[in-house]
């Protein structure tokens, strides 16, 4: 997702790779916190993940956004702002689920996994649909236009 946002914003490769590295570290820290057996270690890894999340959010909302604004393409800017906001908001809910599940045990493993699955649907599938520009009415319109063209030229 970070790579797609970097390419959409036409961000330089070094910055994009740095943000991708921070994102990978963030996810890996969450994993280490989830499999940790000692509560102090679990929370330590959680906070390391949060610290790695901060530069990702900053880059997506500030650096990448400024780059896309500087390019001057209004359509690209609008698309970037939609998908970047979606990404930051949904990714911000993952730590909440972690706290409620692994962190304090307020929800069971099944509900935790359901929450992660729903967040994955929004963060990946909705992101992809927004990126390729699919709307429910657009595909119907294309089919109707094609049928109309066939009728006119037959």
């Amino acid at each position: 997702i970070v790579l797609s946002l970097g390419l959409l914003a036409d961000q330089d490769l070094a910055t994009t790779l740095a943000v991708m590295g921070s994102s990978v570290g963030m996810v890996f820290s969450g994993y280490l916190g989830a499999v940790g057996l000692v509560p102090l270690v679990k929370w330590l890894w959680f906070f390391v993940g949060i610290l790695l999340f901060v530069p990702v959010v900053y880059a997506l909302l500030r650096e990448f956004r400024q780059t896309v604004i500087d390019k001057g393409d209004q359509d690209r800017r609008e698309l970037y702002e939609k998908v970047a906001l979606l990404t930051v908001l949904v990714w911000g809910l993952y730590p909440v689920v972690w706290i409620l599940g692994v962190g304090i045990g307020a929800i069971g493993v099944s509900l935790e996994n359901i929450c992660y699955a729903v967040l994955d649907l929004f963060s990946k599938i909705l992101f992809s649909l927004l990126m390729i520009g699919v709307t429910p009415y657009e595909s119907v319109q294309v089919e109707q236009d094609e049928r109309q063209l066939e009728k006119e030229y037959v």
Side-chain angles (χ1 to χ4, degrees):
I1 291 176
V2 173
L3 177 61
S4 295
L5 288 169
L7 292 172
L8 177 62
D10 201 21
Q11 185 66 45
D12 65 281
L13 184 61
T15 304
T16 302
L17 291 175
V19 176
M20 287 172 60
S22 185
S23 179
V24 169
M26 170 187 70
V27 172
F28 189 63
S29 296
Y31 166 75
L32 290 175
V35 298
L37 300 176
V38 179
L40 180 64
V41 173
K42 288 173 141 342
W43 286 102
L44 174 70
W45 282 115
F46 172 78
F47 286 115
V48 168
I50 293 299
L51 287 175
L52 291 169
F53 182 52
V54 171
V56 173
V57 171
Y58 177 79
L60 295 181
L61 296 182
R62 178 75 178 158
E63 297 296 324
F64 286 26
R65 183 175 178 270
Q66 190 59 50
T67 301
V68 80
I69 288 171
D70 292 344
K71 300 296 178 185
D73 185 344
Q74 186 63 27
D75 291 337
R76 183 179 282 220
R77 177 183 175 182
E78 288 174 7
L79 175 60
Y80 178 82
E81 288 176 352
K82 283 181 197 174
V83 293
L85 184 61
L86 170 74
T87 300
V88 169
L89 291 176
V90 173
W91 283 9
L93 294 175
Y94 280 92
V96 174
V97 174
W98 192 97
I99 289 170
L100 293 174
V102 175
I104 61 175
I107 61 174
V109 175
S110 296
L111 182 55
E112 180 184 2
N113 284 320
I114 290 169
C115 290
Y116 284 135
V118 170
L119 290 174
D120 285 344
L121 286 172
F122 281 104
S123 70
K124 294 169 181 68
I125 294 174
L126 187 56
F127 173 89
S128 298
L129 292 174
L130 286 171
M131 285 292 283
I132 60 175
V134 172
T135 63
Y137 304 107
E138 190 172 273
S139 60
V140 173
Q141 183 65 34
V142 170
E143 289 173 9
Q144 290 173 349
D145 290 347
E146 287 175 356
R147 277 186 260 154
Q148 184 65 26
L149 286 175
E150 289 173 5
K151 291 179 183 176
E152 290 177 5
Y153 296 106
V154 174

